[in-house]
Every structure is written in structure tokens, then in C-alpha cells.
mmCIF file of all heavy atoms in Angstrom:
data_model
loop_
_atom_site.group_PDB
_atom_site.id
_atom_site.type_symbol
_atom_site.label_atom_id
_atom_site.label_comp_id
_atom_site.label_asym_id
_atom_site.label_seq_id
_atom_site.Cartn_x
_atom_site.Cartn_y
_atom_site.Cartn_z
ATOM 1 N N LEU A 1016 -25.139 -23.283 16.834
ATOM 2 C CA LEU A 1016 -24.890 -22.974 15.523
ATOM 3 C C LEU A 1016 -24.219 -24.167 14.741
ATOM 4 O O LEU A 1016 -24.473 -24.226 13.489
ATOM 5 C CB LEU A 1016 -24.061 -21.616 15.345
ATOM 6 C CG LEU A 1016 -24.680 -20.346 15.693
ATOM 7 C CD1 LEU A 1016 -23.805 -19.237 15.626
ATOM 8 C CD2 LEU A 1016 -26.049 -20.094 14.903
ATOM 9 N N GLN A 1017 -23.581 -24.881 15.527
ATOM 10 C CA GLN A 1017 -22.929 -26.056 14.911
ATOM 11 C C GLN A 1017 -23.961 -27.018 14.197
ATOM 12 O O GLN A 1017 -23.575 -27.706 13.291
ATOM 13 C CB GLN A 1017 -22.028 -26.892 15.881
ATOM 14 C CG GLN A 1017 -20.814 -26.043 16.289
ATOM 15 C CD GLN A 1017 -19.932 -26.850 17.179
ATOM 16 O OE1 GLN A 1017 -20.250 -27.999 17.570
ATOM 17 N NE2 GLN A 1017 -18.831 -26.193 17.634
ATOM 18 N N LEU A 1018 -25.118 -27.053 14.797
ATOM 19 C CA LEU A 1018 -26.170 -27.977 14.130
ATOM 20 C C LEU A 1018 -26.463 -27.527 12.885
ATOM 21 O O LEU A 1018 -26.710 -28.305 11.885
ATOM 22 C CB LEU A 1018 -27.454 -27.911 15.057
ATOM 23 C CG LEU A 1018 -27.245 -28.361 16.567
ATOM 24 C CD1 LEU A 1018 -28.511 -28.180 17.354
ATOM 25 C CD2 LEU A 1018 -26.738 -29.794 16.506
ATOM 26 N N GLY A 1019 -26.668 -26.116 12.673
ATOM 27 C CA GLY A 1019 -26.850 -25.685 11.246
ATOM 28 C C GLY A 1019 -25.736 -25.964 10.358
ATOM 29 O O GLY A 1019 -25.915 -26.202 9.187
ATOM 30 N N TYR A 1020 -24.518 -25.610 10.905
ATOM 31 C CA TYR A 1020 -23.399 -25.825 9.992
ATOM 32 C C TYR A 1020 -23.133 -27.192 9.649
ATOM 33 O O TYR A 1020 -22.750 -27.462 8.519
ATOM 34 C CB TYR A 1020 -22.072 -25.192 10.721
ATOM 35 C CG TYR A 1020 -22.164 -23.691 10.970
ATOM 36 C CD1 TYR A 1020 -21.569 -23.145 12.160
ATOM 37 C CD2 TYR A 1020 -22.511 -22.957 9.925
ATOM 38 C CE1 TYR A 1020 -21.495 -21.796 12.283
ATOM 39 C CE2 TYR A 1020 -22.538 -21.464 10.092
ATOM 40 C CZ TYR A 1020 -22.035 -20.983 11.242
ATOM 41 O OH TYR A 1020 -21.943 -19.645 11.396
ATOM 42 N N SER A 1021 -23.557 -28.155 10.654
ATOM 43 C CA SER A 1021 -23.378 -29.542 10.268
ATOM 44 C C SER A 1021 -24.259 -29.970 9.089
ATOM 45 O O SER A 1021 -24.044 -30.707 8.217
ATOM 46 C CB SER A 1021 -23.814 -30.270 11.560
ATOM 47 O OG SER A 1021 -22.872 -30.095 12.488
ATOM 48 N N PHE A 1022 -25.520 -29.329 9.109
ATOM 49 C CA PHE A 1022 -26.416 -29.527 7.908
ATOM 50 C C PHE A 1022 -25.738 -29.062 6.585
ATOM 51 O O PHE A 1022 -25.831 -29.807 5.597
ATOM 52 C CB PHE A 1022 -27.695 -28.845 8.143
ATOM 53 C CG PHE A 1022 -28.664 -28.641 7.020
ATOM 54 C CD1 PHE A 1022 -29.384 -29.785 6.708
ATOM 55 C CD2 PHE A 1022 -28.686 -27.622 6.146
ATOM 56 C CE1 PHE A 1022 -30.235 -29.826 5.566
ATOM 57 C CE2 PHE A 1022 -29.378 -27.552 5.046
ATOM 58 C CZ PHE A 1022 -30.250 -28.564 4.713
ATOM 59 N N LEU A 1023 -25.247 -27.991 6.668
ATOM 60 C CA LEU A 1023 -24.628 -27.378 5.348
ATOM 61 C C LEU A 1023 -23.370 -28.184 5.005
ATOM 62 O O LEU A 1023 -23.207 -28.591 3.819
ATOM 63 C CB LEU A 1023 -24.216 -25.833 5.559
ATOM 64 C CG LEU A 1023 -25.355 -24.995 5.919
ATOM 65 C CD1 LEU A 1023 -24.640 -23.559 6.076
ATOM 66 C CD2 LEU A 1023 -26.294 -24.824 4.661
ATOM 67 N N SER A 1024 -22.562 -28.497 5.980
ATOM 68 C CA SER A 1024 -21.268 -29.276 5.762
ATOM 69 C C SER A 1024 -21.547 -30.621 5.208
ATOM 70 O O SER A 1024 -20.970 -31.217 4.279
ATOM 71 C CB SER A 1024 -20.468 -29.223 6.906
ATOM 72 O OG SER A 1024 -20.097 -28.001 7.315
ATOM 73 N N ALA A 1025 -22.526 -31.343 5.876
ATOM 74 C CA ALA A 1025 -22.779 -32.689 5.572
ATOM 75 C C ALA A 1025 -23.303 -32.812 4.044
ATOM 76 O O ALA A 1025 -23.169 -33.902 3.437
ATOM 77 C CB ALA A 1025 -23.763 -33.392 6.527
ATOM 78 N N ASN A 1026 -23.962 -31.776 3.587
ATOM 79 C CA ASN A 1026 -24.572 -31.825 2.286
ATOM 80 C C ASN A 1026 -23.592 -31.134 1.258
ATOM 81 O O ASN A 1026 -24.110 -30.847 0.139
ATOM 82 C CB ASN A 1026 -25.920 -31.115 2.257
ATOM 83 C CG ASN A 1026 -26.883 -31.976 3.006
ATOM 84 O OD1 ASN A 1026 -27.329 -32.940 2.512
ATOM 85 N ND2 ASN A 1026 -27.177 -31.712 4.319
ATOM 86 N N ASN A 1027 -22.413 -30.720 1.787
ATOM 87 C CA ASN A 1027 -21.386 -30.139 0.814
ATOM 88 C C ASN A 1027 -21.920 -28.793 0.454
ATOM 89 O O ASN A 1027 -21.653 -28.293 -0.717
ATOM 90 C CB ASN A 1027 -21.036 -30.985 -0.401
ATOM 91 C CG ASN A 1027 -19.918 -30.504 -1.127
ATOM 92 O OD1 ASN A 1027 -18.976 -29.940 -0.492
ATOM 93 N ND2 ASN A 1027 -19.789 -30.833 -2.454
ATOM 94 N N TYR A 1028 -22.768 -28.112 1.175
ATOM 95 C CA TYR A 1028 -23.336 -26.874 0.759
ATOM 96 C C TYR A 1028 -22.512 -25.552 1.310
ATOM 97 O O TYR A 1028 -22.532 -24.611 0.617
ATOM 98 C CB TYR A 1028 -24.714 -26.587 1.462
ATOM 99 C CG TYR A 1028 -25.723 -27.521 1.170
ATOM 100 C CD1 TYR A 1028 -26.956 -27.653 1.873
ATOM 101 C CD2 TYR A 1028 -25.642 -28.457 0.033
ATOM 102 C CE1 TYR A 1028 -27.937 -28.542 1.438
ATOM 103 C CE2 TYR A 1028 -26.685 -29.306 -0.311
ATOM 104 C CZ TYR A 1028 -27.793 -29.476 0.419
ATOM 105 O OH TYR A 1028 -28.844 -30.243 0.131
ATOM 106 N N ARG A 1029 -21.986 -25.814 2.442
ATOM 107 C CA ARG A 1029 -21.481 -24.507 3.120
ATOM 108 C C ARG A 1029 -20.593 -23.548 2.334
ATOM 109 O O ARG A 1029 -20.989 -22.457 2.239
ATOM 110 C CB ARG A 1029 -20.795 -24.939 4.353
ATOM 111 C CG ARG A 1029 -20.390 -23.875 5.296
ATOM 112 C CD ARG A 1029 -19.726 -24.199 6.552
ATOM 113 N NE ARG A 1029 -19.372 -23.109 7.289
ATOM 114 C CZ ARG A 1029 -18.633 -23.279 8.473
ATOM 115 N NH1 ARG A 1029 -18.396 -24.387 8.988
ATOM 116 N NH2 ARG A 1029 -18.357 -22.160 9.113
ATOM 117 N N SER A 1030 -19.551 -24.023 1.757
ATOM 118 C CA SER A 1030 -18.633 -23.125 1.148
ATOM 119 C C SER A 1030 -19.290 -22.511 -0.127
ATOM 120 O O SER A 1030 -19.211 -21.302 -0.437
ATOM 121 C CB SER A 1030 -17.383 -23.818 0.747
ATOM 122 O OG SER A 1030 -17.616 -24.960 -0.149
ATOM 123 N N VAL A 1031 -20.009 -23.280 -0.990
ATOM 124 C CA VAL A 1031 -20.610 -22.862 -2.077
ATOM 125 C C VAL A 1031 -21.732 -21.843 -1.937
ATOM 126 O O VAL A 1031 -21.760 -20.714 -2.424
ATOM 127 C CB VAL A 1031 -21.086 -23.963 -3.017
ATOM 128 C CG1 VAL A 1031 -21.928 -23.510 -4.241
ATOM 129 C CG2 VAL A 1031 -20.057 -24.863 -3.468
ATOM 130 N N ILE A 1032 -22.624 -22.259 -1.043
ATOM 131 C CA ILE A 1032 -23.878 -21.510 -0.622
ATOM 132 C C ILE A 1032 -23.292 -20.047 -0.108
ATOM 133 O O ILE A 1032 -23.785 -19.044 -0.537
ATOM 134 C CB ILE A 1032 -24.752 -22.204 0.301
ATOM 135 C CG1 ILE A 1032 -25.356 -23.405 -0.330
ATOM 136 C CG2 ILE A 1032 -25.828 -21.217 0.762
ATOM 137 C CD1 ILE A 1032 -26.237 -23.197 -1.607
ATOM 138 N N GLN A 1033 -22.418 -20.202 0.887
ATOM 139 C CA GLN A 1033 -21.972 -18.977 1.555
ATOM 140 C C GLN A 1033 -21.294 -17.993 0.664
ATOM 141 O O GLN A 1033 -21.551 -16.807 0.611
ATOM 142 C CB GLN A 1033 -21.072 -19.333 2.763
ATOM 143 C CG GLN A 1033 -20.832 -18.138 3.730
ATOM 144 C CD GLN A 1033 -22.076 -17.544 4.328
ATOM 145 O OE1 GLN A 1033 -22.900 -18.404 4.796
ATOM 146 N NE2 GLN A 1033 -22.222 -16.259 4.343
ATOM 147 N N GLN A 1034 -20.480 -18.587 -0.268
ATOM 148 C CA GLN A 1034 -19.754 -17.689 -1.246
ATOM 149 C C GLN A 1034 -20.769 -16.928 -2.241
ATOM 150 O O GLN A 1034 -20.615 -15.902 -2.464
ATOM 151 C CB GLN A 1034 -18.868 -18.551 -2.059
ATOM 152 C CG GLN A 1034 -17.902 -17.602 -3.031
ATOM 153 C CD GLN A 1034 -17.111 -16.660 -2.171
ATOM 154 O OE1 GLN A 1034 -16.309 -16.978 -1.314
ATOM 155 N NE2 GLN A 1034 -17.376 -15.357 -2.537
ATOM 156 N N VAL A 1035 -21.753 -17.771 -2.658
ATOM 157 C CA VAL A 1035 -22.822 -17.196 -3.451
ATOM 158 C C VAL A 1035 -23.596 -16.092 -2.813
ATOM 159 O O VAL A 1035 -23.748 -15.049 -3.373
ATOM 160 C CB VAL A 1035 -23.828 -18.238 -3.943
ATOM 161 C CG1 VAL A 1035 -25.059 -17.597 -4.487
ATOM 162 C CG2 VAL A 1035 -23.135 -19.215 -5.001
ATOM 163 N N LEU A 1036 -24.017 -16.304 -1.572
ATOM 164 C CA LEU A 1036 -24.666 -15.202 -0.790
ATOM 165 C C LEU A 1036 -23.821 -13.926 -0.572
ATOM 166 O O LEU A 1036 -24.256 -12.831 -0.795
ATOM 167 C CB LEU A 1036 -25.141 -15.792 0.477
ATOM 168 C CG LEU A 1036 -26.065 -16.941 0.499
ATOM 169 C CD1 LEU A 1036 -26.506 -17.414 1.873
ATOM 170 C CD2 LEU A 1036 -27.382 -16.610 -0.323
ATOM 171 N N GLU A 1037 -22.567 -14.188 -0.295
ATOM 172 C CA GLU A 1037 -21.705 -13.064 -0.111
ATOM 173 C C GLU A 1037 -21.499 -12.379 -1.320
ATOM 174 O O GLU A 1037 -21.290 -11.109 -1.465
ATOM 175 C CB GLU A 1037 -20.354 -13.568 0.588
ATOM 176 C CG GLU A 1037 -20.557 -14.018 1.916
ATOM 177 C CD GLU A 1037 -19.275 -14.660 2.477
ATOM 178 O OE1 GLU A 1037 -18.140 -14.575 1.857
ATOM 179 O OE2 GLU A 1037 -19.190 -15.140 3.703
ATOM 180 N N ASP A 1038 -21.344 -13.016 -2.422
ATOM 181 C CA ASP A 1038 -21.199 -12.373 -3.745
ATOM 182 C C ASP A 1038 -22.394 -11.484 -4.087
ATOM 183 O O ASP A 1038 -22.179 -10.390 -4.629
ATOM 184 C CB ASP A 1038 -21.092 -13.463 -4.888
ATOM 185 C CG ASP A 1038 -19.749 -14.087 -4.795
ATOM 186 O OD1 ASP A 1038 -18.835 -13.673 -4.174
ATOM 187 O OD2 ASP A 1038 -19.611 -15.121 -5.553
ATOM 188 N N ILE A 1039 -23.645 -11.986 -3.789
ATOM 189 C CA ILE A 1039 -24.777 -11.149 -3.912
ATOM 190 C C ILE A 1039 -24.784 -9.734 -3.243
ATOM 191 O O ILE A 1039 -24.969 -8.737 -3.641
ATOM 192 C CB ILE A 1039 -26.084 -11.921 -3.522
ATOM 193 C CG1 ILE A 1039 -26.307 -13.143 -4.549
ATOM 194 C CG2 ILE A 1039 -27.254 -10.889 -3.493
ATOM 195 C CD1 ILE A 1039 -27.462 -13.958 -4.093
ATOM 196 N N THR A 1040 -24.304 -10.067 -1.864
ATOM 197 C CA THR A 1040 -24.281 -8.796 -1.009
ATOM 198 C C THR A 1040 -23.243 -7.826 -1.569
ATOM 199 O O THR A 1040 -23.386 -6.660 -1.638
ATOM 200 C CB THR A 1040 -23.845 -9.184 0.401
ATOM 201 O OG1 THR A 1040 -24.840 -9.998 0.903
ATOM 202 C CG2 THR A 1040 -23.853 -7.968 1.297
ATOM 203 N N ALA A 1041 -22.127 -8.389 -2.084
ATOM 204 C CA ALA A 1041 -21.008 -7.601 -2.569
ATOM 205 C C ALA A 1041 -21.480 -6.868 -3.759
ATOM 206 O O ALA A 1041 -21.092 -5.709 -4.071
ATOM 207 C CB ALA A 1041 -19.777 -8.409 -2.837
ATOM 208 N N GLU A 1042 -22.272 -7.445 -4.700
ATOM 209 C CA GLU A 1042 -22.619 -6.900 -5.954
ATOM 210 C C GLU A 1042 -23.653 -5.844 -5.882
ATOM 211 O O GLU A 1042 -23.693 -4.804 -6.565
ATOM 212 C CB GLU A 1042 -23.103 -8.048 -6.883
ATOM 213 C CG GLU A 1042 -21.980 -8.873 -7.380
ATOM 214 C CD GLU A 1042 -22.521 -10.034 -8.357
ATOM 215 O OE1 GLU A 1042 -23.337 -9.734 -9.159
ATOM 216 O OE2 GLU A 1042 -22.101 -11.203 -8.110
ATOM 217 N N ILE A 1043 -24.654 -6.072 -4.951
ATOM 218 C CA ILE A 1043 -25.812 -5.114 -4.963
ATOM 219 C C ILE A 1043 -26.021 -4.403 -3.472
ATOM 220 O O ILE A 1043 -26.879 -3.635 -3.338
ATOM 221 C CB ILE A 1043 -27.130 -5.835 -5.394
ATOM 222 C CG1 ILE A 1043 -27.579 -6.927 -4.427
ATOM 223 C CG2 ILE A 1043 -27.038 -6.277 -6.724
ATOM 224 C CD1 ILE A 1043 -28.901 -7.531 -4.734
ATOM 225 N N GLY A 1044 -25.365 -4.809 -2.594
ATOM 226 C CA GLY A 1044 -25.296 -4.230 -1.338
ATOM 227 C C GLY A 1044 -26.519 -4.577 -0.501
ATOM 228 O O GLY A 1044 -27.004 -3.840 0.524
ATOM 229 N N GLU A 1045 -27.071 -5.801 -0.748
ATOM 230 C CA GLU A 1045 -28.381 -6.215 -0.072
ATOM 231 C C GLU A 1045 -28.144 -7.503 0.582
ATOM 232 O O GLU A 1045 -27.269 -8.256 0.336
ATOM 233 C CB GLU A 1045 -29.525 -6.395 -1.099
ATOM 234 C CG GLU A 1045 -29.858 -5.162 -1.832
ATOM 235 C CD GLU A 1045 -30.454 -4.048 -0.950
ATOM 236 O OE1 GLU A 1045 -30.787 -4.215 0.174
ATOM 237 O OE2 GLU A 1045 -30.894 -2.886 -1.634
#
């Protein structure tokens, strides 16, 4: 899994993308 996380982290995606996805789940339960 670190390979995938490296992709996200190297591109400065991880925290922003993960927060957005979690917000979606929290808002609509999907």
C-alpha cells in the first residue's frame, strides 16, 4: 500500500483527496 500512498504523497494529493472523499461519505452516506 505504500506504493499507492507514495503516489498520493509525492503529488501532494493524499490529505486533500482523502478529506474530500471522507466528506462525501459523511454528507450522503455513500
Side-chain angles (χ1 to χ4, degrees):
L1016 293 175
Q1017 291 182 1
L1018 301 176
Y1020 291 143
S1021 295
F1022 169 81
L1023 296 176
S1024 299
N1026 292 281
N1027 194 29
Y1028 297 166
R1029 184 177 176 184
S1030 60
V1031 173
I1032 296 294
Q1033 192 61 43
Q1034 188 60 60
V1035 165
L1036 299 180
E1037 290 175 4
D1038 286 349
I1039 292 172
T1040 301
E1042 289 179 46
I1043 61 174
E1045 302 290 355

